[in-house]
Amino acid sequence: MKKILGFIFLMLIMVSATKYTTEKENSMHTIQGTWELQHFYQYDGQNIIDTTPPSEGFRQVKMYYNGKIMWSRTSSAEIQGRFGYGTYKITPDRLIENIEYGDGQMMKALDTIRQFTFELVLTDDTYSQITIDEDGNRITSENYKRID
Protein backbone atom coordinates (compact mmCIF):
# COMPACT_ATOMS: atom_id res chain seq x y z
CA MET A 1 0.00 0.00 0.00
CA LYS A 2 2.88 2.36 0.81
CA LYS A 3 4.37 1.69 -2.64
CA ILE A 4 1.09 2.56 -4.38
CA LEU A 5 0.69 5.77 -2.35
CA GLY A 6 4.31 6.67 -3.05
CA PHE A 7 3.80 6.07 -6.77
CA ILE A 8 0.63 8.20 -6.83
CA PHE A 9 2.41 10.98 -4.92
CA LEU A 10 5.33 10.88 -7.38
CA MET A 11 2.95 11.05 -10.36
CA LEU A 12 1.15 14.06 -8.87
CA ILE A 13 4.46 15.88 -8.45
CA MET A 14 5.47 15.12 -12.06
CA VAL A 15 2.11 16.26 -13.46
CA SER A 16 2.13 19.49 -11.46
CA ALA A 17 5.75 20.22 -12.49
CA THR A 18 4.86 19.65 -16.14
CA LYS A 19 1.89 22.00 -15.88
CA TYR A 20 4.03 24.72 -14.24
CA THR A 21 6.75 24.44 -16.91
CA THR A 22 4.27 24.59 -19.80
CA GLU A 23 2.54 27.68 -18.42
CA LYS A 24 5.85 29.43 -17.89
CA GLU A 25 7.03 28.77 -21.46
CA ASN A 26 3.76 30.01 -22.96
CA SER A 27 3.93 33.29 -21.04
CA MET A 28 6.68 34.67 -23.31
CA HIS A 29 5.46 36.47 -26.44
CA THR A 30 6.09 34.69 -29.73
CA ILE A 31 7.70 36.17 -32.81
CA GLN A 32 6.21 33.44 -34.97
CA GLY A 33 4.03 35.04 -37.64
CA THR A 34 4.15 37.71 -40.36
CA TRP A 35 5.36 41.24 -39.65
CA GLU A 36 5.48 44.46 -41.66
CA LEU A 37 8.00 47.26 -41.13
CA GLN A 38 6.35 50.41 -39.76
CA HIS A 39 9.25 52.79 -39.12
CA PHE A 40 12.86 53.18 -38.01
CA TYR A 41 14.26 54.72 -34.82
CA GLN A 42 17.64 56.40 -34.40
CA TYR A 43 19.17 56.39 -30.90
CA ASP A 44 21.66 58.51 -28.97
CA GLY A 45 23.01 55.36 -27.33
CA GLN A 46 19.92 54.55 -25.27
CA ASN A 47 17.11 56.99 -26.06
CA ILE A 48 15.17 57.46 -29.28
CA ILE A 49 16.14 60.74 -30.95
CA ASP A 50 14.35 60.37 -34.30
CA THR A 51 11.62 58.32 -35.99
CA THR A 52 11.73 57.80 -39.74
CA PRO A 53 8.91 56.24 -41.75
CA PRO A 54 9.76 54.07 -44.77
CA SER A 55 10.08 56.02 -48.01
CA GLU A 56 7.18 56.15 -50.46
CA GLY A 57 6.83 52.82 -52.25
CA PHE A 58 9.01 50.92 -49.73
CA ARG A 59 7.61 47.77 -48.15
CA GLN A 60 9.40 45.16 -46.03
CA VAL A 61 7.83 42.01 -44.62
CA LYS A 62 9.36 39.32 -42.40
CA MET A 63 7.95 35.88 -41.70
CA TYR A 64 9.05 33.71 -38.77
CA TYR A 65 7.94 30.10 -38.50
CA ASN A 66 9.39 27.01 -36.78
CA GLY A 67 12.86 28.49 -36.49
CA LYS A 68 12.94 29.74 -40.11
CA ILE A 69 12.93 33.34 -41.32
CA MET A 70 12.11 34.76 -44.73
CA TRP A 71 12.14 38.47 -45.46
CA SER A 72 11.48 40.48 -48.58
CA ARG A 73 11.40 44.10 -49.46
CA THR A 74 10.57 46.21 -52.43
CA SER A 75 10.86 49.86 -53.17
CA SER A 76 10.04 52.10 -56.09
CA ALA A 77 13.77 52.99 -56.23
CA GLU A 78 14.82 49.36 -56.86
CA ILE A 79 14.10 47.49 -60.06
CA GLN A 80 14.33 44.14 -58.29
CA GLY A 81 13.24 43.48 -54.74
CA ARG A 82 15.47 42.13 -52.01
CA PHE A 83 15.06 38.94 -50.00
CA GLY A 84 16.79 36.64 -47.55
CA TYR A 85 16.17 33.25 -45.97
CA GLY A 86 17.65 31.50 -42.96
CA THR A 87 17.07 30.48 -39.38
CA TYR A 88 16.33 32.43 -36.23
CA LYS A 89 16.38 32.07 -32.48
CA ILE A 90 14.99 34.36 -29.81
CA THR A 91 15.76 34.78 -26.14
CA PRO A 92 13.84 37.11 -23.82
CA ASP A 93 15.96 40.05 -25.06
CA ARG A 94 17.75 38.97 -28.27
CA LEU A 95 16.85 38.07 -31.84
CA ILE A 96 19.53 36.09 -33.67
CA GLU A 97 19.11 35.62 -37.42
CA ASN A 98 21.42 33.38 -39.46
CA ILE A 99 20.87 34.19 -43.13
CA GLU A 100 21.67 31.29 -45.48
CA TYR A 101 20.92 32.83 -48.87
CA GLY A 102 19.20 35.72 -50.57
CA ASP A 103 19.24 38.02 -53.58
CA GLY A 104 22.52 39.02 -55.27
CA GLN A 105 23.25 41.95 -52.94
CA MET A 106 22.44 39.83 -49.89
CA MET A 107 24.80 37.09 -51.09
CA LYS A 108 27.61 39.67 -51.39
CA ALA A 109 26.90 40.82 -47.82
CA LEU A 110 26.90 37.20 -46.61
CA ASP A 111 30.59 36.98 -47.58
CA THR A 112 31.36 39.14 -44.54
CA ILE A 113 28.56 38.38 -42.07
CA ARG A 114 25.85 35.72 -41.84
CA GLN A 115 24.70 36.06 -38.23
CA PHE A 116 22.80 39.16 -37.18
CA THR A 117 22.14 39.70 -33.48
CA PHE A 118 19.71 42.37 -32.32
CA GLU A 119 18.29 43.53 -29.04
CA LEU A 120 14.66 42.40 -29.12
CA VAL A 121 11.64 44.22 -27.73
CA LEU A 122 8.63 41.99 -28.37
CA THR A 123 4.93 42.33 -27.54
CA ASP A 124 1.95 40.41 -28.90
CA ASP A 125 1.48 42.77 -31.86
CA THR A 126 4.78 44.65 -32.30
CA TYR A 127 8.47 44.06 -32.18
CA SER A 128 11.65 46.09 -32.57
CA GLN A 129 15.01 44.70 -33.64
CA ILE A 130 17.59 47.12 -32.28
CA THR A 131 21.12 47.29 -33.65
CA ILE A 132 23.65 47.74 -30.86
CA ASP A 133 27.34 48.60 -31.07
CA GLU A 134 30.20 46.69 -29.43
CA ASP A 135 29.74 48.74 -26.23
CA GLY A 136 26.04 47.87 -25.96
CA ASN A 137 24.77 51.25 -27.14
CA ARG A 138 21.63 51.35 -29.25
CA ILE A 139 22.16 52.71 -32.79
CA THR A 140 19.02 52.12 -34.89
CA SER A 141 15.98 49.90 -34.90
CA GLU A 142 13.48 48.46 -37.33
CA ASN A 143 9.99 48.46 -35.82
CA TYR A 144 7.38 45.98 -37.02
CA LYS A 145 3.67 45.39 -36.63
CA ARG A 146 2.13 41.91 -36.75
CA ILE A 147 -0.02 41.46 -39.87
CA ASP A 148 -0.77 37.74 -39.38
Side-chain angles (χ1 to χ4, degrees):
M1 183 70 172
K2 284 185 180 182
K3 287 183 181 182
I4 292 174
L5 289 176
F7 179 72
I8 291 171
F9 181 71
L10 181 62
M11 291 303 291
L12 287 172
I13 289 173
M14 291 175 68
V15 168
S16 65
T18 302
K19 182 179 178 187
Y20 174 76
T21 303
T22 303
E23 287 175 5
K24 186 176 179 183
E25 288 174 1
N26 290 337
S27 68
M28 191 168 114
H29 299 290
T30 180
I31 199 166
Q32 187 163 292
T34 307
W35 304 82
E36 185 168 6
L37 180 70
Q38 299 298 297
H39 44 72
F40 304 91
Y41 289 155
Q42 285 74 44
Y43 291 86
D44 67 0
Q46 286 303 314
N47 301 308
I48 300 166
I49 57 172
D50 195 16
T51 302
T52 308
S55 60
E56 186 70 31
F58 182 94
R59 186 169 187 205
Q60 182 164 300
V61 174
K62 286 189 164 189
M63 298 176 75
Y64 297 93
Y65 183 71
N66 282 348
K68 303 292 184 190
I69 176 178
M70 179 84 176
W71 64 266
S72 67
R73 84 172 188 214
T74 187
S75 108
S76 55
E78 295 175 321
I79 295 172
Q80 296 178 332
R82 303 277 317 268
F83 74 91
Y85 171 81
T87 59
Y88 75 92
K89 179 175 114 175
I90 66 167
T91 69
D93 65 346
R94 292 286 184 258
L95 167 62
I96 303 152
E97 297 178 349
N98 290 291
I99 304 301
E100 297 172 21
Y101 72 90
D103 64 273
Q105 289 183 350
M106 189 76 232
M107 293 306 291
K108 287 178 188 173
L110 294 178
D111 286 342
T112 58
I113 186 169
R114 286 187 177 265
Q115 185 177 77
F116 300 86
T117 301
F118 304 100
E119 179 182 344
L120 176 64
V121 177
L122 176 63
T123 70
D124 286 334
D125 297 319
T126 65
Y127 92 87
S128 295
Q129 61 180 53
I130 304 167
T131 303
I132 53 176
D133 66 17
E134 59 276 352
D135 297 323
N137 297 309
R138 293 174 168 175
I139 302 169
T140 61
S141 70
E142 294 179 1
N143 308 300
Y144 291 85
K145 179 181 175 186
R146 184 183 298 276
I147 58 175
D148 181 32

